[in-house]
Amino acid sequence: MNRVASFIIALHFRYPFVRQLLWACCIVITAGVVFLAGFKGSRVDTLPVGWEKSFTVSQPAIAAKNIHLASRGNFIAAVYEGVEKRAHKIYAVLSFNGGKSFLQPVVIADVAPDIDHLPRVAVSGTGHVAVVWQNLEQDDSNTRVFYSLSMDMGASWSPPVRVFMPSDFEMLPQILYDDRNVMHLFYHGHSKNVFNLYHAVSADEKTFDAPRALAGMEELRGAFFPAVSVSRSDIYVVWQGKGEMRGVLSDDLYYMHSGNYGKSWGTPEKITRSAANDAAPSLFMYRDVLYCAYQNNDERSWAIKLLRGFNRGDTWDEKPMTVSQTNANCYSPGVTSGKNEELVVLWYDTRDVAPSIVARKYLIPERRFSSESVLSPVRAASRKPVAVTVNNTIIVMWEEAGRVFAKYSDINVEPPVVYSATNPENAWSRRADAMMQWNSPDDDSGIAGYAVIVNKIPDFIPTVQNLESNVKLYRVADLDDGVSYFHIRAVDGAGNYSRTVHYKLQVSRSPLPAPVVVSPTHPEGKEALLRTPVFRWSIDGRDRLKGFLYSMSKNTAERPSKFTNDFETTFHNLDDGRYFFSIAAVDRTNTVSRVATYEIIINKAESIDASVYERIAKGLAPIVREVEKIAAPTVPYCIINLPFDSAHPYDKDAFNAIITARNIPADSMAGYSVSLDTKKTEPRKSVNVRNNIISLTGLKNGAYYLSVRGRYARIEGGRKVYYWTAPSVKSFTVNTFEAPSGVVAYADSVIEKLYGRWLAVTISLTGALLSIVTLGFGSRISFFAKLVRFRLRNRAAALF
């Protein structure tokens, strides 16, 4: 063996190519080790339909597990136990905006190693937050119940306090508040060689009343793992009891109820009838029906079942519904409410190589389940999901690779941004065919299509998807005169409908009818002594009416030239004679209607030639250019249209805004100057946006001011002169949750894995360093090695 080693070493130092080959093999091997250590089981985000992207809640340096959640309004409290630098602690994480963002974790207590502490949290209506857990008592080495209380929504916490109970030891505590903000504690206690469930009440959140045993132990060998639901004065408990059936120990589920805040309890009722085991119940009340999700192993492997207790638990299903659809073992079920009369059942199972979090919706009106959704990434071990529902949004958390991950249910979709080059919004057009376009919103479930309809109802809401997701252009043909509405909603892959965009289409393709003129003072064509005539008129189609042109002339009818918005006028102190009052309507596109003429005679008048009447009968059509001259002067300006209500914070980091130019012909626009800043500033007079769509991306949380001014041209003196509009400013606020980027999350995962494999990393880095040194200085090292060996031989020869 020594000869082989000596021969390899001799080859290594004698031949450079052998040395390079050996070190290249070492580099490949070490690189492979590093790759396997760092990237095996790395996270790959999945995007199941109906759920958004997952994000981390715990810190990379904390090895976290055993999460629990509680909520009250938009306030969410999450607790978990973790290890940081070999110190075991209980942590709390808080959110004040319905889970959109979470604060940094706060240490609640230091705890003993080597056991699970299983912390639980509850939130009262007054903002008190209570955290309870089990820990080893140093005096007797038994598990005891401890709790900590925050009176100011997590800003400060009391020191850990032990709950003294008359048991040999206590474990697996749960904490809740009722509608009186009274604290309820449920726990397992061992007394007189029997495990039982106990319930204790604390009105002052400092001392607890004497606990009450819930389960009778005459026919049971233990009571475990209660699921509790509180509604007003009612407390509902489902627990797992171990009895003896046909000589074989089996677990069943038992239900009991208190209608007076736990002062007295009804008789426990067995609600499962399986010959196998029923375990780990989770309880949720929805519209007077109790839903209990639990594990069952009738088919040898653990499956998830759902049992309903109608009329607040008075009667229960004879046969449960099967939720899970796999033959693999399923664990840790949970149930919570979704949107639109849905329940969501969560669990984790082993159908893949690594355990994964699975969710399935139960559609209550249809009495059926939707397909399953895998929420956690593939090949990353994910366990113990917990969830709460806030404003119809489900926040799910689970433990994965020593981290706490979270995911939101997808309950909404943003509306598309709609525009039209042929029929700008809030502007009248002579075109009866409108080309509608829109930009598709971003959505984690993907856009499945659009619901579109055109009618004259301003607030109509389409309810049926009739366009596919790849359609971004829609032609509206043969629009009637007047105001129509293009209604559109986006539909995402989860079946969510966005709010409706009501795009106003204003068309005036045909002239208005001639006004109908009457005079209450002068009958038409007849003599009257009054020298102050009054004229009144009416017209159909007022929605597209801009005003009227009129004239008053003696002996002959003249083309109308004076503009008015009124429906009545009076002339004073007229001389004797024949007068013609002429009037025409002007629509919003400056198209003039036929002229209506009304003849009056003041006292008496000479007869006129028939050609005058003939000319009047043929009509007096005024020129549109003159209408524009006499119309009221208008000021060009721009309007910024945001795709959301700026009075409320926007929860995305990107959107498209539309600029609408007013009182400026479309072919006269030369561009826009757009400025986005955290303070109100005027945009510079230089064009930086050519079209009327502003795309804003990468927005951070905070307040913004979006300012726009438009550049347009006018023909003056035979040449084109450019002008700028006054600045238009829109303020808005962005408030998104701070989810870590994929790169940061991926880097954290790699660093965490490398930190856990420090020996392999050290060997790899040392090998790489030796490779660099040897490849670069191999010949020199060989020379000095031979020189040392030569001198050692000479010295040995001299000595002997």
Side-chain angles (χ1 to χ4, degrees), residues 484-511:
S484 301
Y485 294 89
F486 174 76
H487 311 281
I488 182 171
R489 302 173 76 187
V491 185
D492 69 3
N496 300 308
Y497 281 72
S498 73
R499 66 175 176 83
T500 306
V501 176
H502 308 284
Y503 190 98
K504 185 185 292 187
L505 296 168
Q506 301 174 112
V507 175
S508 184
R509 60 179 180 176
S510 57

Side-chain angles (χ1 to χ4, degrees), residues 757-767:
R757 297 168 175 83
W758 61 270
L759 181 60
V761 174
T762 302
I763 294 173
S764 302
L765 294 178
T766 305

